[in-house]
Amino acid sequence: MKAISTKKAPAAIGPYSQAIQVGNLVYTSGQIPIDPATGAFVEGGIKEQTRQSLTNVKAILEEVGLTMNNVVKTTVFMADMNDFTDMNCVYAEFFAEPFPARSAVAVKTLPKGALVEIEVIAEK
């Protein structure tokens, strides 16, 4: 087991790693829409927050030489399922066929009041 860390994504805000590699699999922690350059949420709504969350995921994967094409499974947590269509439009910009498997769920609240949090599993 190996911890993955990059300054191109927000630092962990608790006792967890940005990602863990086990064998050929990389598991990212959920990424919320924090801009690592400022430490603050990106301005805007669900589209901007989804884009930043996925940009953070992408940066973590790049740290170990992977791309979004290596992602086999995603989990998307949303504060409001009514945001699904807008989230999905931005999500589609980051992935190509064959698309990874995905779960998308609405939750009561997310860390720091985020509208979206995204985690992935990728294969080397």
Side-chain angles (χ1 to χ4, degrees):
M1 183 167 66
K2 174 184 169 187
I4 310 298
S5 180
T6 179
K7 292 182 185 205
K8 295 180 181 176
I13 55 175
Y16 62 89
S17 299
Q18 287 176 329
I20 292 290
Q21 181 177 341
V22 179
N24 289 335
L25 296 176
V26 174
Y27 300 84
T28 70
S29 291
Q31 294 300 302
I32 57 177
I34 294 175
D35 180 341
T38 65
F41 274 13
V42 294
E43 291 187 24
I46 189 67
K47 287 183 177 182
E48 293 79 11
Q49 288 198 16
T50 299
R51 187 169 286 106
Q52 185 63 54
S53 294
L54 287 169
T55 298
N56 294 342
V57 166
K58 184 178 175 188
I60 293 167
L61 295 177
E62 287 173 348
E63 184 66 20
V64 290
L66 300 179
T67 71
M68 298 301 266
N69 291 332
N70 293 98
V71 175
V72 296
K73 171 73 167 81
T74 67
T75 305
V76 179
F77 303 95
M78 291 179 293
D80 186 346
M81 195 55 81
N82 290 319
D83 288 335
F84 182 85
T85 300
D86 286 340
M87 176 281 298
N88 204 44
C89 287
V90 174
Y91 179 97
E93 297 171 10
F94 284 81
F95 296 101
E97 290 189 36
F99 299 111
R102 178 176 75 184
S103 300
V105 296
V107 296
K108 185 174 179 182
T109 56
L110 288 166
K112 298 185 176 259
L115 299 177
V116 65
E117 178 175 3
I118 302 172
E119 64 184 29
V120 307
I121 301 169
E123 183 181 31
K124 286 190 113 178

